[in-house]
């Protein structure tokens, strides 16, 4: 069931934040999964691992999935499939644009076959799947229990992980978050920052992936840090990202990690995460998601 060509995790490191807004005896570490790979970074590797192993075991040669023009999941699937000898198909939401996004150009470079479908057609995934035979399907964003199983391995690369009281990460489909909740210990809490606006059904989607219904007591999701909605990036967020870079040398992305870091700071300074906590924020990667920004907007 093993895949040989998964990324080297040797560049992943813990980045301790030294900031004057941290109360006494409170620590904040960032797990830098963004260092896994310059383009295909972060949690997507972990989420894809068991899907690809399953596809291999079932002897599929082609893997397909769904996503938008800037999707980290699309680019990661393209790359991981190429590395592991699968053909890949990306069903992309929306008509083919005159100029492909950087994300899609990279996915095509990794030999992904891109299939553009209208926004309406994109809603009916079952109908789309019927157009391809002998294809292993991964849900949009990699949502599902095999994805959560892979994400559950993220914390196993952290030394003395039991010393952290709170694990914080961004929540898109909730798959990574569910994997983390499954893998933490009784004394630890998981905090998820929803990056979609008013996406309250995410709570149940996360619960669906938990190994034990009792684990629902381990987590909280905050819904106030979407900055206007998915991938929205008002000037306040961009200014915060610049500040995070200048003060802590922490590069973040507009979709997930900048919002998460902003939330962490606010939850700590407002003592919602209590003084004396040892917080681990997962930097889940996704820096390629900044490519829609004009050059010079960010210093990294
Ligand atoms: C996909 C992604 C997430 C969200 O992961 P889910 O498992 O869908 O919740 C978070 N951060 C980054 C950088 C991502 O690319």
């Amino acid at each position: 069931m093993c895949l040989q060509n998964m990324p080297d995790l040797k560049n992943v490191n813990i980045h301790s934040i030294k900031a004057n807004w941290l109360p006494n005896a409170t620590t904040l570490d960032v797990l830098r999964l963004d260092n896994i790979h310059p383009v295909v970074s972060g949690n997507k590797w972990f989420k894809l691992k068991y899907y690809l192993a399953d596809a291999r075991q079932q002897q599929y040669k082609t893997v397909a999935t769904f996503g938008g023009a800037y999707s980290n999941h699309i680019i990661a699937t393209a790359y991981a499939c190429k590395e592991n000898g699968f053909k890949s198909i990306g069903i992309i939401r929306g008509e083919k644009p005159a100029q492909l996004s950087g994300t899609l150009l990279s996915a095509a470079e990794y030999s992904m076959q891109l299939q553009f479908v209208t926004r309406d057609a994109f809603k009916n995934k079952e109908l789309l799947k019927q157009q391809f035979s002998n294809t292993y399907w991964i849900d949009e964003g990699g949502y599902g229990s095999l994805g959560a199983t892979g994400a559950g391995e993220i914390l196993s690369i952290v030394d003395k992980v039991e010393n952290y009281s709170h694990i914080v990460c961004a929540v898109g489909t909730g798959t990574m978050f569910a994997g983390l909740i499954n893998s933490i210990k009784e004394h630890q809490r998981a905090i998820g920052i929803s990056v979609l606006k008013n996406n309250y059904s995410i709570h149940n989607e996360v619960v669906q992936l938990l190994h034990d219904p009792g684990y629902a007591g381990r987590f909280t999701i905050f819904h106030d840090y979407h900055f206007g909605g998915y991938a929205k990036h008002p000037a306040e967020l961009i200014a915060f990202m610049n500040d995070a870079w200048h003060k802590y040398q922490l590069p973040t992305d507009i979709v997930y990690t900048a919002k998460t870091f902003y939330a962490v700071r606010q939850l700590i300074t407002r003592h919602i995460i209590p003084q004396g906590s040892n917080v681990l924020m997962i930097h889940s990667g996704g820096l390629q998601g900044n490519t829609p920004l004009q050059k010079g907007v960010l210093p990294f």
Side-chain angles (χ1 to χ4, degrees), residues 2 16 99-100 102 127 145 155 195 204 209 212-213 220 222 231 255 263 282:
C2 228
S16 294
Q99 175 69 52
L100 287 190
L127 197 64
S145 60
L155 295 180
V195 299
N204 269 332
L209 303 179
D212 181 327
T220 309
F222 287 90
V255 183
I282 311 298

Side-chain angles (χ1 to χ4, degrees), residues 32-50:
R32 296 285 305 272
L33 297 183
D34 56 308
N35 284 332
I36 287 178
H37 186 277
V39 179
V40 195
S41 65
N43 68 351
K44 296 298 184 284
W45 287 107
F46 291 89
K47 284 169 58 174
L48 286 168
K49 178 176 171 185
Y50 289 104

Side-chain angles (χ1 to χ4, degrees), residues 86-103:
F86 293 102
K87 283 191 202 156
S88 68
I89 300 172
I91 310 291
I92 310 301
R93 180 181 56 237
E95 306 283 353
K96 184 173 183 182
Q99 175 69 52
L100 287 190
S101 68
T103 308

